Amino acid sequence: MSNDYKPLQGMSDIFGNDVHIFREIENIAHRVFDNYGYSEVRTPILEKSDVFLHTLGGTSDIVQKEMYNFQDRGGRSIVLRPEGTAGVVRFLASRGEAGLNDKVYYLGPMFRCERPQAGRKRQFHQIGVEQTCNPNPLIDAEVIALQCELLHQWGIENIRIKINSLGSLDDQVNIRFGLLESLEPYQNNFTKEEIERIHKNVLRFLDSKDEKYRKIINKLPSIQSFMSDESKEYLEKVINILKSLDIEVECNQNLVRGLDYYNHTVWEITHDSLGSQNALAGGGRYTIDIGKRKIDGVGFAMGVERILSAKQNAKYDINDEVKQGYWIISLGSTAILENMKLARMLRNRGAKVGMDLEEKSMKSQLRRADRFNALKVIIRGDNELNNDIVIIKDLDNHSQEELTLKNFIESI
Ligand code: AMP
């Protein structure tokens, strides 16, 4: 494709079958969220930079490297939202008492200025939920169960759920201290900058994919060894509740997720068909400091493009779009105007109807009917107009019948 017509790098035009799958994914999501008692919220795509700087934590990759951050015409610092939680929690905080113990969901585009690669885009879409509530293993388990239900309804099976605990807020001080102490014997393996980075957020270090680091990480005590018994029991409860709901999870002690606001339960869902970017979704419990308020909650976000790929890899039959609706074929210019009126009438009755508004040959109009994926064509020329009839041709079995216009309209 010529560069003139390409969207920005890492961004895509979504069209054709992909739009159909996007819509199906969204429609199922609306239904499932309704059943679980979540209300939809549509927060702005642009937010004040502070919303993300304060919420996500200064050491996260998103804040350090990936935000589309700019000044607007009034010199205000603005961000194109890189994720949904911060904006939604800002909204919930604005609702005062009503925002506590609330359950909301969102869907829409997110923006991260990352190096584009397969499965990693600069504009992508997420579907997610946030539930504001005090720590409660039952709620964490129900949110994970909701996510599994969604994936099941979308036709995605064979998922893997990795789960871990980052401990309570009090534990996190001990975890950081304990890990840093355990890392001391390995100081010589790191540069000065690396040591600085590790000190800023030692938990992120556990997430590192670098082989050199992995060897050291594997020798460190688990983060659970620095946690209170209550926090360990909390995670056990979540895992047992999930088991009783027939949901299998794997405990992974090195799963930390990238953002500073998490505590207690964190999890990630992967699908092997996705290759190196195999994360379908992530979630966790958080405490977010926003303005003068602290909001406790739990939520998840799922990447719509990755769900779409997992569906395609699961051989979901996306090309088998059902034929439906009518294409009206006009023979002669008088018929075009009359058929426009007919199309309007049929659409008002809920039918999908298309037609050419330029005079075209029968062959060309039939080709258009095919592209429209019409099930039937309606043929009307001078003869049919004079006799108040229509010819209906079934494009599947090629049968043809003649009906009075009145009878045909009443049959829709
Ligand atoms: P995160 O907010 O990073 O936990 O991401 C949640 C989910 O969004 C991931 O599991 C992916 O499915 C999806 N996701 C995150 N970043 C991208 C990206 N750059 N391109 C496509 N999908 C993404």
Side-chain angles (χ1 to χ4, degrees):
M1 196 203 298
S2 149
N3 266 343
D4 291 349
Y5 308 124
K6 274 191 187 157
L8 288 171
Q9 210 196 354
M11 305 197 177
S12 309
D13 300 306
I14 304 164
F15 185 69
N17 277 322
D18 284 351
V19 167
H20 287 289
I21 309 179
F22 251 79
R23 279 207 208 169
E24 187 191 271
I25 289 172
E26 288 171 359
N27 290 341
I28 291 174
H30 289 301
R31 184 165 44 75
V32 173
F33 289 140
D34 267 357
N35 291 348
Y36 275 74
Y38 283 78
S39 330
E40 185 181 358
V41 58
R42 301 185 186 198
T43 60
I45 286 168
L46 291 176
E47 293 272 2
K48 290 180 202 149
S49 306
D50 281 352
V51 170
F52 299 101
L53 296 177
H54 288 160
T55 312
L56 309 186
T59 60
S60 64
D61 279 353
I62 294 187
V63 167
Q64 289 211 325
K65 307 188 272 206
E66 298 167 3
M67 286 205 303
Y68 280 97
N69 204 339
F70 59 94
Q71 297 221 319
D72 72 1
R73 284 164 187 266
R76 287 165 289 250
S77 182
I78 303 283
V79 166
L80 267 172
R81 66 179 184 195
E83 57 97 65
T85 305
V88 170
V89 168
R90 175 200 53 68
F91 159 73
L92 291 169
S94 76
R95 280 165 53 79
E97 285 293 306
L100 299 175
N101 299 312
D102 214 358
K103 291 159 80 168
V104 294
Y105 75 94
Y106 59 87
L107 20 89
M110 305 293 159
F111 304 84
R112 293 185 195 171
C113 197
E114 304 182 75
R115 193 169 58 81
Q117 50 181 292
R120 198 165 274 286
K121 307 194 74 71
R122 289 184 168 170
Q123 176 173 340
F124 58 100
H125 296 75
Q126 284 187 339
I127 294 182
V129 305
E130 308 300 341
Q131 176 165 1
T132 45
C133 54
N134 289 328
N136 177 345
L138 282 163
I139 298 181
D140 298 5
E142 197 196 42
V143 169
I144 297 175
L146 159 61
Q147 215 172 357
C148 293
E149 177 61 23
L150 261 177
L151 288 162
H152 173 69
Q153 296 276 334
W154 284 328
I156 298 170
E157 306 295 344
N158 303 323
I159 52 165
R160 288 173 63 188
I161 308 174
K162 286 181 255 170
I163 196 167
N164 195 19
S165 170
L166 300 183
S168 65
L169 290 175
D170 287 342
D171 289 335
Q172 292 193 345
V173 180
N174 297 336
I175 293 171
R176 290 214 163 87
F177 185 77
L179 283 174
L180 285 175
E181 210 173 45
S182 318
L183 274 167
E184 248 158 47
Y186 304 100
Q187 294 274 336
N188 294 338
N189 298 64
F190 304 114
T191 63
K192 211 170 137 225
E193 289 75 37
E194 285 170 327
I195 293 174
E196 262 172 36
R197 213 176 315 132
I198 291 170
H199 273 261
K200 270 192 191 144
N201 190 343
V202 67
L203 275 180
R204 288 300 327 268
F205 175 68
L206 298 183
D207 205 16
S208 170
K209 305 263 180 312
D210 192 321
E211 254 323 295
K212 176 180 113 181
Y213 295 155
R214 292 250 46 104
K215 285 194 186 126
I216 300 171
I217 293 164
N218 291 338
K219 291 186 200 147
L220 296 178
S222 75
I223 58 172
Q224 287 205 8
S225 60
F226 306 112
M227 240 177 245
S228 63
D229 288 342
E230 289 79 19
S231 293
K232 283 187 254 180
E233 274 164 29
Y234 187 108
L235 178 65
E236 246 164 63
K237 277 189 193 156
V238 177
I239 294 174
N240 286 333
I241 299 162
L242 287 168
K243 212 177 251 169
S244 71
L245 298 173
D246 291 327
I247 296 171
E248 283 300 324
V249 292
E250 299 162 27
C251 197
N252 181 330
Q253 299 261 337
N254 292 328
L255 177 73
V256 294
R257 311 266 306 129
L259 307 171
D260 288 1
Y261 53 50
Y262 289 115
N263 54 69
H264 281 301
T265 325
V266 288
W267 68 92
E268 198 164 81
I269 301 186
T270 56
H271 198 267
D272 285 342
S273 75
L274 294 178
S276 65
Q277 301 301 324
N278 66 354
L280 267 183
R285 168 163 287 285
Y286 49 78
T287 302
I288 293 182
D289 258 311
I290 187 136
K292 297 187 186 75
R293 301 187 65 177
K294 265 192 179 161
I295 304 268
D296 283 310
V298 58
F300 66 69
M302 321 178 83
V304 180
E305 282 77 1
R306 304 237 181 123
I307 291 159
L308 197 119
S309 301
K311 268 169 99 72
Q312 284 166 334
N313 295 339
K315 303 270 177 295
Y316 174 79
D317 208 353
I318 49 161
N319 289 318
D320 205 10
E321 204 190 309
V322 220
K323 278 189 175 342
Q324 57 167 324
Y326 299 87
W327 187 264
I328 310 183
I329 294 186
S330 313
L331 303 174
S333 58
T334 329
I336 293 186
L337 181 60
E338 288 308 311
N339 283 340
M340 249 178 107
K341 293 184 200 160
L342 174 62
R344 194 160 175 236
M345 223 182 304
L346 298 178
R347 287 175 186 140
N348 282 342
R349 287 178 167 248
K352 178 186 166 196
V353 182
M355 65 177 284
D356 275 305
L357 295 179
E358 281 172 282
E359 260 188 83
K360 294 251 172 75
S361 70
M362 178 79 154
K363 198 167 154 200
S364 146
Q365 293 188 65
L366 277 168
R367 259 203 311 269
R368 294 263 289 154
D370 209 39
R371 272 179 57 189
F372 189 70
N373 223 2
L375 180 62
K376 293 180 179 182
V377 288
I378 304 167
I379 304 169
R380 271 212 311 175
D382 291 341
N383 185 33
E384 289 73 26
L385 286 176
N386 291 338
N387 295 307
D388 257 344
I389 55 167
V390 284
I391 297 170
I392 310 293
K393 189 177 160 96
D394 189 308
L395 292 178
D396 250 359
N397 61 21
H398 304 291
S399 65
Q400 191 165 309
E401 60 179 337
E402 208 177 271
L403 293 173
T404 65
L405 183 63
K406 186 166 170 285
N407 282 351
F408 170 62
I409 292 173
E410 278 172 9
S411 74
I412 302 288

